[in-house]
Amino acid sequence: MVRSLLAQTAIELFVAKGYDNTTLEEVAAAAGVSRRTLFNYFRNKEDLALSGLSEQGELIAARLAERPADEDAWASLRAAFQALEEIDITPERRLEFITLLFGNESLRAGHAEKQARWQDLFAPLIEPRLPDSDRRTLQARAIAAAAITCLQAANEEWVRLGGQVDLFDLYDTAVQAIRRPT
């Protein structure tokens, strides 16, 4: 509860004042906690700003694990990514946050690192869906990485278009661009 409040407060301040112009002291004060309490939950400002990405990855992985075992890996990933739509955030706030994220080099790099961890979560869930081969692990990692990259490309395009289009239509377009017909 406190962790979520801190993260939400931070995002509001980052969007209002800018990431670089917001101090951890301001976040702590706005959330009504001490700086020490803030550091009990987050290592640094970047960790605070990106905290939701770890939870999102775990939520997507859980949804992926629930998908039918015989379902195509790409279809399973798309369905699992739909969990992002369930996060309690308005489209306007999502647009503000993603704009902030992609507009700051430090946050963008941290975002890429968190999404690389998603690959580690998703690949073992994709692997059993693929035909048995000695390269199945590699194939699963490649599919996970490509799907994550398509999601990121879709998010970037969604921001460029001001959030006025469906994110998953953009995701589908990105996936179609890289998938060979089977």
Side-chain angles (χ1 to χ4, degrees):
M1 186 75 156
V2 173
R3 182 178 172 82
S4 177
L5 170 68
L6 289 168
Q8 185 174 9
T9 301
I11 297 307
E12 289 171 6
L13 286 172
F14 294 156
V15 167
K17 294 184 64 178
Y19 176 75
D20 292 327
N21 297 327
T22 304
T23 67
L24 291 176
E25 289 80 9
E26 290 170 320
V27 174
V33 302
S34 69
R35 181 179 161 99
R36 183 177 181 166
T37 298
L38 186 130
F39 280 109
N40 286 338
Y41 292 94
F42 301 98
R43 294 184 318 257
N44 53 43
K45 190 160 76 166
E46 183 179 298
D47 186 36
L48 179 58
L50 299 173
S51 64
L53 291 173
S54 294
E55 289 87 2
Q56 290 173 15
E58 291 167 13
L59 176 62
I60 294 165
R63 294 295 168 81
L64 184 56
E66 294 169 357
R67 301 300 306 166
D70 61 345
E71 187 175 50
D72 172 74
W74 287 95
S76 293
L77 280 162
R78 189 198 191 284
F81 283 149
Q82 291 286 147
L84 295 173
E85 294 287 307
E86 299 166 20
I87 295 169
D88 189 20
I89 186 171
T90 66
E92 296 80 18
R93 177 60 49 99
R94 177 176 280 148
L95 181 62
E96 291 170 345
F97 177 68
I98 295 173
T99 301
L100 172 76
L101 189 70
F102 292 148
N104 180 286
E105 287 304 313
S106 173
L107 291 179
R108 191 179 183 95
H111 180 260
E113 179 186 322
K114 296 267 188 205
Q115 286 193 326
R117 291 189 198 140
W118 287 13
Q119 182 181 342
D120 296 335
L121 290 172
F122 303 166
L125 300 169
I126 295 168
E127 189 172 342
R129 300 168 184 282
L130 302 177
D132 194 20
S133 87
D134 60 345
R135 303 252 169 119
R136 191 163 74 163
T137 300
L138 170 63
Q139 292 168 334
R141 289 190 63 76
I143 290 170
I148 292 165
T149 299
C150 287
L151 182 63
Q152 181 164 339
N155 267 307
E156 289 177 12
E157 183 68 3
W158 184 76
V159 166
R160 191 185 73 73
L161 297 172
Q164 298 300 310
V165 295
D166 182 74
L167 174 64
F168 286 96
D169 284 347
L170 297 172
Y171 173 78
D172 291 340
T173 300
V175 168
Q176 289 167 4
I178 65 164
R179 282 199 68 190
R180 289 184 309 192
T182 54

